[in-house]
Every structure is written in structure tokens, then in C-alpha cells.
Amino acid sequence: MLPPRQQPLLGVQTVPVMAKKVESIGKAWPEKSVIRRMADYRMFLRDIARDGVDIISEKMNRLSGEFLAELKNGLGAILEPNGDPRRREECFILQKLVKTRSDLTTNILLRAHRVHLEILVAIATGIRAFLHPTVVLPPTSLIEVLIFKRCKNLACQHQLPADDCVCKICRNGFCNQCMCVICHQFDFEVNTCRWIGCDVCSHWTHTDCAIRYGLICSAPSETLFRCLACNRTSELLGWVKDVFGQCGLTWNGRNAVMRELDFVSRIFRGSRDGKGMKLFWKCEKVMDEMKRGLAESAACRVFLTFLQELEADSLKTPVEEPCDRIGRVLKEVVKKMEMVADEKMRMVMKTRTALEAYDCELENKAKEVSELMVEKQKKKLQIEELERIVRLKQEEADMFQLKANAAKQEAAKLQRTGYSETDHSEEEYGSSYLKLSLS
């Protein structure tokens, strides 16, 4: 039976909006550039990873938005997947500082600056997408990712840990809905033989990881996959048939079909049972025919017909009771798949609605910022005009003050002249009076 991950349009990671958005982040990330004051950024990033939340939040509240944006770009360059060894070493140091802290609890993190949260989550997960301006998660979601209560896969965001799971793997941030139980990595590939799902516990494993760790085993009558989470086995022939039957038409291009056939070939290469060996040789034959020009659609039809005939041959054996038991198990698996599919579709719709709301809010904020910048420019021009008028009035006042000082000096001079003339007149008057008196 086909595991939920391989169901067309119903896979755990088939999230049309968020998955495409996250995949495009790597392409839309700004090109590498020489960041000014890079040493300051690295020093501040280490402070963020090491110092208390209240201290860093107080510092961030005083920093400009431009500096915070450049700080996030600087961290994005350090988290570059194919960066140079020095950046990988810097990333390792930052992650070690964050992961060894015991003070990062929900109550404390709720007081953190938003950029502080984004940087802590990006460092802890090693995922640059949390720093991208188009990825805007609520602070509570960022906190849950940081304390291993929510899946770090932006296209999943499943609550952790799984309530109904008793395995020892589902802890410390592992998500049984989208991560490989061996390498603990996730990707956005669905409807493919790249992933093998356990029919019992619904955990997922990369096909390459399963082969590398020897989890593909060949029994006398069938080829099985042993799940590392529950240590139980799942039959692989029916899984291949369901994948090709339900997903073959969704594969675009010759290379995609060749890749799926190569997965199947490597899975059944060591098979000792008759059906497994036949399937391996058929894979090799179809791939050779494709190399000689067989169309991918025809190759899928030929291979699917072979799988149906192989399954029909196995049903001819008079083993009724095991077949009935398998039928009951398959019905239970189908029922569980349908429940999981419905839940995931609800998650998809919820995620899509939230994303549209975030995009609308981001657009409104951008408009507000643009209006504020225009208003700021107007105020700046008004202030410059007022400053110019003040300077002119000051110059006028200085000029009038000079004239007033000159007039004051002239008045004093005239006053002294008046006093002098008055004294002279009085002397002449006295002299004339004496002369008249004597005569």
C-alpha cells in the first residue's frame, strides 16, 4: 500500500504556497557582497548567541533597522550551505553557544526582540530561510521551533512531539511527518521513490539512507524494509507498484523517470526472492530501452504493466488466509492514510490563509513606510526653510544692531558738542555782562 507521503497532492510536504516560497528563498537570497563592519557584526552575533535575552533586546531596541537588516544578511552569509571553511567554523561556534544555553525558556523568549528571535532560530536550525524578509512567522511559532515544540520545516510546521508516537526518535526537534529517521533532514520532494514510509508507524526514511544503513533486506519470498523507528518491516513490491501507479503521470521528463527506476533498481539489486530479482532485471531493461529512445510515458506504462502481472502471479498461489489478513491490514492503512490526508489538507489551507494574511500585512507595512518616508522628506524641507529664514533674520538683527550702535555714538558726540557750545555761550554772556556793568 502506498504510504501517505507518496500520495499525489496529499503528501505531508505537498504545500503549494509555502513549499514553493521556501524553495525560492535560496534563489532569491541576495548575492554575496562585502558587508561593512563585518567584524562588528560577527562580534554582535556572538553576543546574541551568548548573552541574556533582556540585554540583547535592550541593545536591539536602540539599533537602526538598516543595521539589523545588514546583521541578518551577515548571518545569512555565514549559514551559506556551500560557504568556505571559516564560515562553517563560525556557524559551528554560534550553534554551540546557542544549544548549550539553559535560559532560553518560553517566558524569557517572549520578551525578546523579533530580530533576536529570528537570529537565534536561524543559528539553532542552520536554516537561512528564517532570516528572509518574506518569511514572517509569529513570535510564538519562532519560540516553539527554538525549544523543539514545532517542526523547523517551514512547509510542515507540525506540533512536536507527536502525541501518539512512542519511539525514541521523536524528540529534540525531530518531526515524524517530514524528516528522515536516519539523517534527520527534510526536503520538498513528494510522490517519489526517494522516500520510503513505514506501513506500521508512518515514519519516513530516505531510500539512499535505508540502502546505506542496510535497512533493505531480502526474505525468501519478498523484499522488505525494516523501519529504524519501530523495528518492524514493510513489503516493498506493492509500495513500488503504488508509487508508479499513482504518481508516474506526475513525473515530468526523461530524467525524472530514469531517476525513479534507478531508485527501484538499487532497492532490489540484492534481492534473493524471485519477484525481487525479476523486478531488478526489468528496471535495468527499461532503463536500457529509454537510453535507446523509449519515451518516458511508454516506459512508465511498460513497467507498471509488469508490476501488475508480477502481483497477479503472486495472487495465483492458494494462500487465502494470509491474503485476507493482508487485505485487512491494507484497509486499515488506507483508512489511516485518508485521515492523515484530510488533516494535512486542513494544514495546507490554514498555512495558505496565514501566508496570504502575512503577505497582505507586509504590503500594507511597505506602503506605510513609503508614506512615512515622503512625510519625513517634506518635514526635512520645511525645517531647512525655517533654518534659512532664521539665519536671514539673525543677519538683519545684527545689521540693525550695528546701526543702532552707530546712532548711539553719534548722539553722544552731538550731546558733548552741545554741552561745549553751551559752556562757551555762558562764558561769552558773562564777559558781555561784565563789560556792560563796567561801562
Side-chain angles (χ1 to χ4, degrees):
M1 175 56 69
L2 185 66
R5 186 184 184 87
Q6 272 68 39
Q7 284 191 344
L9 304 180
L10 294 178
V12 170
Q13 292 182 343
T14 308
V15 186
V17 178
M18 183 61 83
K20 292 181 180 179
K21 197 177 191 75
V22 175
E23 281 184 317
S24 65
I25 285 175
K27 301 175 182 178
W29 198 272
E31 295 182 359
K32 297 178 182 178
S33 60
V34 178
I35 302 177
R36 297 166 310 183
R37 299 173 293 173
M38 192 61 194
D40 293 340
Y41 295 149
R42 288 181 175 175
M43 186 179 300
F44 192 41
L45 285 172
R46 291 202 182 189
D47 291 341
I48 290 173
R50 179 178 53 235
D51 293 344
V53 171
D54 292 334
I55 296 173
I56 297 300
S57 295
E58 183 179 357
K59 289 181 180 179
M60 283 191 168
N61 287 329
R62 296 197 300 265
L63 295 174
S64 66
E66 180 182 1
F67 182 89
L68 294 178
E70 291 183 354
L71 182 67
K72 291 167 67 174
N73 287 339
L75 178 58
I78 293 174
L79 298 178
E80 172 68 35
N82 299 320
D84 59 44
R86 288 177 298 180
R87 288 181 176 176
R88 287 198 295 270
E89 182 180 358
E90 182 72 16
C91 178
F92 175 77
I93 293 173
L94 293 174
Q95 287 181 336
K96 186 176 179 180
L97 289 172
V98 171
K99 292 181 179 179
T100 54
R101 291 176 63 173
S102 59
D103 63 323
L104 298 181
T105 62
T106 301
N107 291 335
I108 292 177
L109 290 170
L110 284 172
R111 303 197 297 266
H113 191 281
R114 177 177 182 82
V115 175
H116 188 190
L117 283 177
E118 292 173 348
I119 290 175
L120 285 176
V121 172
I123 291 173
T125 62
I127 300 175
R128 297 192 303 163
F130 287 104
L131 303 171
H132 203 273
T134 60
V135 177
V136 184
L137 294 179
T140 52
S141 296
L142 293 171
I143 294 172
E144 288 175 348
V145 172
L146 190 59
I147 62 175
F148 304 132
K149 295 296 183 182
R150 183 180 293 274
C151 178
K152 63 183 179 180
N153 180 358
L154 289 170
C156 177
Q157 290 285 284
H158 194 265
Q159 290 288 334
L160 302 178
D163 294 333
D164 57 348
C165 188
V166 296
C167 77
K168 296 180 180 180
I169 298 176
C170 288
R171 60 183 64 181
N172 293 335
F174 180 84
C175 176
N176 65 354
Q177 300 294 313
C178 67
M179 295 182 185
C180 172
V181 297
I182 295 178
C183 68
H184 291 197
Q185 299 300 314
F186 61 85
D187 56 47
F188 301 103
E189 293 205 41
V190 293
N191 307 329
T192 173
C193 294
R194 173 179 167 82
W195 288 88
I196 301 176
C198 177
D199 292 337
V200 181
C201 67
S202 298
H203 284 69
W204 297 97
T205 306
H206 282 124
T207 299
D208 290 332
C209 293
I211 295 173
R212 186 167 60 253
Y213 278 77
L215 300 180
I216 308 295
C217 53
S218 179
S221 60
E222 58 186 350
T223 301
L224 302 172
F225 161 69
R226 180 174 62 84
C227 178
L228 197 63
C230 66
N231 206 32
R232 298 182 184 179
T233 57
S234 302
E235 187 269 335
L236 289 174
L237 180 60
W239 167 73
V240 172
K241 173 181 172 293
D242 288 335
V243 173
F244 272 81
Q246 297 188 32
C247 310
L249 296 178
T250 66
W251 298 330
N252 296 322
R254 178 180 298 270
N255 291 336
V257 177
M258 288 283 286
R259 190 187 72 156
E260 300 299 325
L261 289 171
D262 180 65
F263 278 128
V264 177
S265 174
R266 289 191 287 121
I267 289 172
F268 289 90
R269 179 168 285 128
S271 296
R272 295 192 303 271
D273 64 291
K275 292 182 292 184
M277 288 189 289
K278 289 180 181 178
L279 184 56
F280 168 71
W281 289 115
K282 188 64 176 180
C283 280
E284 295 294 313
K285 182 179 179 180
V286 173
M287 285 193 291
D288 288 339
E289 291 176 352
M290 289 187 69
K291 292 176 182 178
R292 292 195 295 268
L294 180 65
E296 55 268 21
S297 57
C300 283
R301 286 196 300 270
V302 169
F303 191 68
L304 185 58
T305 300
F306 170 79
L307 290 171
Q308 292 169 345
E309 293 173 352
L310 195 62
E311 188 177 51
D313 290 341
S314 64
L315 293 176
K316 292 178 182 178
T317 57
V319 188
E320 297 296 332
E321 184 178 351
C323 290
D324 292 339
R325 187 165 59 253
I326 291 173
R328 289 194 298 271
V329 172
L330 291 178
K331 287 180 181 179
E332 293 176 0
V333 172
V334 169
K335 185 178 179 180
K336 186 175 181 181
M337 288 166 52
E338 291 174 349
M339 293 174 61
V340 172
D342 292 339
E343 178 64 22
K344 295 309 165 187
M345 284 302 296
R346 286 194 292 271
M347 290 175 60
V348 168
M349 296 303 297
K350 183 178 178 181
T351 304
R352 181 182 298 171
T353 302
L355 184 61
E356 290 174 353
Y358 294 153
D359 288 341
C360 182
E361 183 179 358
L362 185 62
E363 184 178 356
N364 292 336
K365 294 296 183 184
K367 290 180 179 178
E368 291 178 5
V369 170
S370 178
E371 292 173 357
L372 288 174
M373 291 301 293
V374 173
E375 186 66 22
K376 178 182 177 182
Q377 188 63 27
K378 289 181 179 179
K379 295 296 183 182
K380 183 178 179 181
L381 293 174
Q382 291 175 359
I383 291 172
E384 291 176 352
E385 180 64 19
L386 288 174
E387 289 176 348
R388 188 181 66 82
I389 293 173
V390 168
R391 287 196 302 271
L392 290 175
K393 294 300 182 181
Q394 185 63 43
E395 292 174 359
E396 260 183 36
D398 293 340
M399 181 183 68
F400 283 122
Q401 185 63 43
L402 290 174
K403 289 183 177 181
N405 292 338
K408 186 176 180 180
Q409 292 175 358
E410 184 65 25
K413 183 179 179 181
L414 290 173
Q415 187 177 20
R416 287 194 299 272
T417 303
Y419 288 155
S420 176
E421 289 179 355
T422 300
D423 293 339
H424 182 68
S425 297
E426 288 178 353
E427 289 177 359
E428 287 183 352
Y429 175 78
S431 176
S432 299
Y433 181 80
L434 289 174
K435 288 179 179 180
L436 289 174
S437 296
L438 294 173
S439 60

